[in-house]
Amino acid sequence: MYGDVDMNIMDGSAVWAQSMVQALAAAGCAPTLLLKAEVSTDRLTAPLERDPAVALRRPYEEGLLEGLGPRGLTPEQAVELLERLDAEEAYDLVVVRGRRLAVLAAQSERLAGRLWTYLTDVPQSVPELTAGAVSELTDIAVASRFVLCQTEELRSFLESAVPAACGKSVLFPPVVVLEEEAPQAAPPAPLDGPLRLVYTGKFAPRWNTLEMAGLPEALSGRGVPAELHMVGDKVHRDSPEWARRMNKALEGGAEGLVAHGGVPRAEALRLAAGCHVGLSWRDEEMDASLELSTKVLEMGALGLPVVLNRTPMHEALLGVEYPLFAEPGADADEVADLLALAADPAVRAEAAERCRAAAARFTLERAAERLGAYLDAACPSGPEGTDPRRPLKVVIAGHDLKFFTRLAEHLSSLPGLDVRLDEWESLRAHDQYRSKELASWADVVICEWCGPNALFYAEHKRPGQRLLVRLHRFELYAEWPRKLDIEKVDAVICVSPYYARLTRELAGWPTDKVVVLPNWVDTDQLDRPKLPGAEYTLGMIGIAPSRKRIDRGLEVLRELRRRDRRFTLAVKSKQPWDYWWIWNRPEEREYYERAYRELRRDPLLAGGVVFDPFGPDVAGWLRRIGFTLSTSDDESFHLAPAECAASGGVPAVLTWPGADTIYSHRWLHEDPAAMAEAIHATVAEGRFDAARRAAQAEIRDNYALDKVCRMWTDLIVKGAVPEPVDLPKAVPA
């Protein structure tokens, strides 16, 4: 692990590095921390040195590199050392922090694929997202196994701007680690003298530290004796005049200010615990920040109430009614008024309890659990029946692998499997020499799509080799299944029982050759907090071609808006004219012109429909969706309602053929009017939360990515046919 942070300076970045190493160790790793600078104080490194699982590498003291400068490793030097250390140890993962460092690490062929990149110093608003920034972040995401995001807000923003981050971005919130010698949480200290305020961290203009220095004097003028204890030794010097004034205040130029300088972390925590109120009041410019202050959580863990800016993120953390919020744009006088209020023991007690409860969600134990889940995904154990010394050789062949990507990633990560891709340029075009070479090499061939690829590998199948073919709706009515020598195929895989039955009937294949293995749903990625009011937002994903029936979706919305105008519809899709093969068909064009004309003219629909861009950022988009509609004439599976359910929403599905073999009857409706009635009743009668919990459990139990990956692994390694999904038989009241 390497963070572009100086462990000699007590600030949030350095504390993060310490806590990240501790969390990795608690999750069962043996972490090596590469230090940036020569150690001049062991305030942060000493606790790590006491842990036998942790190794510290000191480039200055060990002479690991020539030409080291006085300000610590440059990003280029750090990446060079990471590569050198990896050559010695062959690490399973490489954790890096710092955008410039991450850009360089992403260019390293040696490190790519094992990077766990922690992003904070990245654009956090649309104007900052220049083409260059998006290009850098894309390179980082492509080279990373995981992109660690501190908050859900940052993750969703990143995914909306960088498609490559979708599916790789995972949450890793701040970690609150209170050392053994640190004070334990206690009831708020009694006001036995002056109101003691505390600030710990760096001194910088946007952190309002100079304005804080005047708070004791302002409180004195309000009849509240006060002291301000400031802990830290890093003064930003971007503005020499500001730095001069800040230093003057710390050196005794401000009434009631006690400067403690840089002290060991345990001592900083002890000092904070002896105060009455913590300060994390910042400039209004930082209200849009997508990062969460570790200092706020540390103070909460100590039982200390904190003054901080009112932002949506902080309201979600502490509740809208938290009593010590500084309102947007608050100046020093307004914060002084707030602190005068905090002199009331009852106010301090309420605020302290809210801070303590919030901090309890960010403990080392929680962080270790979270990392443990990511480690299981990144470094899985080998499947039973395989030997890493003689791996099972697997080829995945097809012209379009987008529906197989996550499965391919999982199979490739398994010890005991050697997976290679045969990506065809189109349905028929491919490198025949490479395909023949792979056909003679493989133990198992998986053909994604029952097209010319399946015909080729069936023709070149070797004795003892196993051939698995996944058939989608697209191929069922085409020529290729009729040409396929089914005797050469070990299993044809369909995603639903209905299409498996239809495949047997139309192709005439033996019953035991056609197996059902459902589509996967990344339930962990999709499970994110819903935004306020989500229950009033319907969603549709993909509305082309016309058999997706957006007209029925509009009918559902119209019926709902007759009852309650709060209902809206969000459509995430390409438009029909984006597909030449759709827009060139007169009947398709006429259908959409009619539907969109109705949308413009119907007063019940006016202002009730939003079209969002097509893209992979579905998880972030679903945060505002309460119900996802499936109004199609027919579907082979239709992932959108399942993804909505996994996100904590409710699927709403018309009874297209086979829908009852994928979704339980609770989510099925005979027509748009019945669908609208059910949605309205669910919301109006206060049953939305119960319904979404039931839907989420159903999808997780049957279609979770990890479960479907296990099914595929068992089929590939053992030839085991998966058990059918277990849908609830009864419809709950």
Side-chain angles (χ1 to χ4, degrees), residues 236-245:
H236 278 219
R237 302 188 180 280
D238 296 342
S239 167
E241 174 59 21
W242 184 93
R244 184 190 65 78
R245 294 171 60 201

Side-chain angles (χ1 to χ4, degrees), residues 286-301:
M286 300 192 68
D287 286 354
S289 172
L290 304 180
E291 299 175 26
L292 185 59
S293 171
T294 306
K295 297 299 181 185
V296 170
L297 302 175
E298 284 183 347
M299 291 179 185

Side-chain angles (χ1 to χ4, degrees), residues 121-344:
D121 53 340
V122 296
Q124 298 188 11
S125 66
V126 172
E128 295 178 285
L129 280 172
T130 63
V134 172
S135 177
E136 286 186 352
L137 293 172
T138 298
D139 289 344
I140 291 170
V142 168
S144 297
R145 178 62 181 88
F146 288 125
V147 177
L148 306 178
C149 298
Q150 195 194 69
T151 63
E152 185 58 65
E153 290 75 13
L154 177 59
R155 173 162 69 158
S156 295
F157 178 76
L158 179 67
E159 290 174 336
S160 69
V162 183
C166 297
K168 291 188 174 185
S169 300
V170 297
L171 281 183
F172 190 74
V175 184
V176 179
V177 182
L178 298 184
E179 299 168 23
E180 293 181 5
E181 60 267 36
Q184 299 302 305
L191 199 58
D192 51 358
L195 181 68
R196 295 189 294 277
L197 317 176
V198 63
Y199 171 82
T200 65
K202 58 190 168 190
F203 301 98
R206 291 196 300 168
W207 273 249
N208 282 345
T209 51
L210 189 56
E211 289 79 2
M212 289 179 193
L215 289 174
E217 183 178 357
L219 283 165
S220 179
R222 289 164 172 75
V224 180
E227 292 177 352
L228 171 60
H229 295 260
M230 302 193 93
V231 181
D233 54 9
K234 182 179 180 180
V235 178
H236 278 219
R237 302 188 180 280
D238 296 342
S239 167
E241 174 59 21
W242 184 93
R244 184 190 65 78
R245 294 171 60 201
M246 188 73 246
N247 279 317
K248 181 179 178 182
L250 292 171
E251 292 165 3
E255 177 184 328
L257 192 157
V258 182
H260 296 270
V263 300
R265 186 155 174 258
E267 175 64 10
L269 294 172
R270 187 191 66 77
L271 286 167
C275 294
H276 299 108
V277 182
L279 296 177
S280 187
W281 164 52
R282 296 180 177 180
D283 188 276
E284 188 177 13
E285 283 184 20
M286 300 192 68
D287 286 354
S289 172
L290 304 180
E291 299 175 26
L292 185 59
S293 171
T294 306
K295 297 299 181 185
V296 170
L297 302 175
E298 284 183 347
M299 291 179 185
L302 294 171
L304 193 67
V306 185
V307 170
L308 70 169
N309 298 34
R310 181 187 292 278
T311 69
M313 187 190 304
H314 291 156
E315 287 184 343
L317 180 71
L318 299 171
V320 176
E321 302 301 323
Y322 179 71
L324 296 184
F325 276 139
E327 297 300 331
D331 59 20
D333 282 336
E334 291 169 305
V335 172
D337 290 337
L338 192 64
L339 288 167
L341 179 68
D344 183 336

Side-chain angles (χ1 to χ4, degrees), residues 60 89 153 187 314 385 430 564 579 587 590 632 657 674 709:
Y60 283 79
E89 298 288 343
E153 290 75 13
H314 291 156
H430 67 118
D564 192 329
Y579 300 96
E587 67 274 17
E590 181 183 349
S632 306
C709 283

Side-chain angles (χ1 to χ4, degrees), residues 422-433:
D422 182 11
E423 297 190 66
W424 289 33
E425 294 177 26
S426 65
L427 265 169
R428 295 177 174 83
H430 67 118
D431 183 339
Q432 294 193 33
Y433 296 103

Side-chain angles (χ1 to χ4, degrees), residues 490-491 512-517 711 714-715 718-724:
D490 293 272
D512 62 351
K513 289 276 187 177
V514 183
V515 303
V516 177
L517 212 163
M711 292 179 180
D714 288 344
L715 180 62
K718 306 174 186 176
V721 176
E723 295 291 329

